Amino acid sequence: MPTDPRPTDLPVGIHDLTFRTTSLSLTHAELARHTGAGLAKYHQGIGQRAMSIPAADEDIVTMAADAAAALTERHGTHQIRTLLFATETSIDQSKAAGVYVHALLGLHPHMRVVELKQACYGAAAAVQLATAIVHRDPAQQVLVVASDIARYDLDSPGEATQGAAAVAMLIAANPALAAIDPVSGLCTRDIMDFWRPNYRTTALVDGKKSLDAYLHALDCAWVDHQRCGGPALKDLHTVCYHQPFTRMAHKAHRHLLHTAGVEAEHGDIDAAIAPTTTYNEIVGNSYTASMFLALAALLDNAEPLDGVPIGLFSYGSGSVAEFLTARVTPGYRDFLHVAEHQHAIAQRREITYADYRQLRAHTPPVDGGRWEAPRASAGRYRLTGMHRHQRLYASTTAEG
């Protein structure tokens, strides 16, 4: 009589995935009118066309809850006992942002909720932790959320690479979208390429050092991945890279092909990477969510990927990196939500640079006073205000 597969043999991975972003957007054409830069610097140079900008009543919690609600409504919550929230733009030094999401979604109390932080890498770690939980108990599912708002100093080089988004994933046995392979490559190195001290609201970055650190980490993780028995690069359909700006993915793939000794024409590289950049190029950098937005773009693309192996490279400044592989589940297209994703982007309202500066100038009080957020969000949840240093949230449907 055949026996059940051991937990390590059971396919575990991404059963469902969806994302949400903000209600506002700033195009790079509008930004160029302010900076005086040629539009090609943004469109071709860094591969960005627009960036999501949060309204005053939007933050990492509202985006995350909006994305996660879609999953819980589709699948229920009875199998979910863990919610992992990855972010590097946390709203509290003590309380996990996922606890707010837990409350907004009305989830049952018998659940662990944890926030993970390591720059842009945190969500990849969350997925790995989630797969381990499911391997231990295949009856469980884990809700993983990655939500971030990338914000840099005004008129700084990084300003053009801002953005915001949340990705929610349901990790489960026998996943409908993609199974995560057990082998991965890891790399950690202490380097100050990008950081945000507690007393700052915007990040600090050494651009050249960060690009070099990214490529160094890619080499390091890839060598470890191969040492551990991972598939060769030539056997992967493509790689979804972390995309601080989308041209970085093209640069990274060219670099990895060279490292792996695989010859490819420039057009072949663009053809392999372009399907992974369609969302990030109009949403901007979403830190922990970025690599999974690349995966969403690849899956939502019209090209069939049934049974195809793909690579995933996550890099978090500071730095920690991981190279994973996954196999797309046959029949995955029946479980995509392309129209939902396109609507999340299309519903954004374009703002002027002056509007954007005005939003940046007005911040909630830090003295514990009462503050009511102006209602602007088009999402399902909003930050209604703050009082006594407490953030207050509500469903926009409940508010009427």
Side-chain angles (χ1 to χ4, degrees):
M1 179 181 294
T3 60
D4 292 334
R6 292 180 295 110
T8 52
D9 296 330
L10 185 70
V12 173
I14 303 172
H15 189 56
D16 200 353
L17 179 156
T18 196
F19 72 84
R20 295 294 185 270
T21 186
T22 62
S23 299
L24 307 175
S25 69
L26 180 69
T27 68
H28 283 76
E30 176 66 12
L31 179 64
R33 281 190 280 273
H34 166 76
T35 63
L39 198 53
K41 175 182 178 180
Y42 301 136
H43 286 184
Q44 282 78 49
I46 61 174
Q48 296 301 133
R49 295 184 174 274
M51 48 190 172
S52 289
I53 303 294
D57 58 347
E58 295 177 324
D59 65 7
I60 61 168
V61 168
T62 61
M63 291 189 298
D66 206 342
L71 298 192
T72 59
E73 288 170 358
R74 286 197 284 265
H75 303 279
T77 63
H78 62 287
Q79 291 180 270
I80 301 173
R81 291 177 57 84
T82 302
L83 192 168
L84 301 178
F85 193 118
T87 185
E88 65 171 289
T89 50
S90 184
I91 55 172
D92 193 286
Q93 292 286 37
S94 179
K95 183 176 181 177
V99 174
Y100 292 106
V101 174
H102 178 277
L104 286 170
L105 269 56
L107 301 179
H108 64 80
H110 307 297
M111 189 175 296
R112 66 171 68 87
V113 180
V114 180
E115 184 170 303
L116 295 91
K117 179 187 73 176
Q118 171 39 48
C120 302
Y121 167 73
V127 166
Q128 291 288 52
L129 293 173
T131 59
I133 290 172
V134 176
H135 273 300
R136 186 180 67 181
D137 181 2
Q140 288 192 41
Q141 297 177 338
V142 178
L143 180 58
V144 173
V145 181
S147 185
D148 269 305
I149 297 170
R151 182 179 286 120
Y152 300 98
D153 286 337
L154 296 170
D155 299 317
S156 69
E159 187 177 26
T161 63
Q162 298 177 124
V167 170
M169 293 171 280
L170 193 65
I171 306 302
N174 298 309
L177 296 182
I180 303 294
D181 294 330
V183 173
S184 72
L186 301 167
C187 184
T188 292
R189 181 173 67 135
D190 184 9
I191 184 170
M192 297 300 289
D193 60 322
F194 176 106
W195 66 106
R196 183 173 70 86
N198 288 339
Y199 51 82
R200 286 184 60 92
T201 58
T202 54
L204 299 166
V205 59
D206 183 328
K208 177 64 166 63
K209 181 184 286 189
S210 193
L211 295 182
D212 291 344
Y214 183 116
L215 296 177
H216 175 275
L218 176 58
D219 282 344
C220 177
W222 173 254
V223 168
D224 187 51
H225 180 261
Q226 293 299 282
R227 181 184 63 81
C228 292
L233 185 59
K234 65 180 178 61
D235 295 328
L236 300 178
H237 176 76
T238 190
V239 179
C240 296
Y241 293 90
H242 166 55
Q243 297 173 15
F245 52 92
T246 64
R247 291 307 299 177
M248 188 66 216
H250 294 260
K251 183 188 293 288
H253 199 54
R254 187 177 302 108
H255 182 89
L256 184 57
L257 287 168
H258 177 77
T259 297
V262 178
E263 294 186 4
E265 298 294 331
H266 184 82
D268 296 332
I269 296 172
D270 286 347
I273 299 303
T276 73
T277 65
T278 53
Y279 290 144
N280 279 307
E281 71 181 11
I282 51 178
V283 167
N285 191 1
S286 55
Y287 292 159
T288 56
S290 168
M291 182 185 76
F292 295 101
L293 270 182
L295 175 60
L298 178 67
L299 295 177
D300 287 355
N301 187 273
E303 181 183 6
L305 300 170
D306 301 76
V308 165
I310 58 173
L312 301 162
F313 177 67
S314 177
Y315 173 75
S317 293
S319 64
V320 177
E322 184 166 4
F323 193 98
L324 308 87
T325 54
R327 187 170 293 274
V328 180
T329 305
Y332 74 99
R333 294 200 65 84
D334 293 338
F335 303 94
L336 297 180
H337 311 286
V338 181
E340 190 176 299
H341 294 161
Q342 291 174 344
H343 175 74
I345 292 173
Q347 61 85 32
R348 296 177 303 170
R349 177 173 61 86
E350 289 185 9
I351 58 174
T352 66
Y353 189 80
D355 294 333
Y356 156 73
R357 293 288 289 237
Q358 188 174 27
L359 278 169
R360 289 288 298 266
H362 291 84
T363 57
V366 295
D367 61 359
R370 182 181 295 276
W371 172 74
E372 293 187 4
R375 183 164 182 168
S377 178
R380 297 175 59 172
Y381 304 95
R382 61 182 294 266
L383 173 68
T384 60
M386 294 179 65
H387 185 50
R388 296 179 179 175
H389 300 289
Q390 299 175 39
R391 301 177 81 86
L392 308 173
Y393 294 94
S395 164
T396 55
T397 303
E399 285 188 313

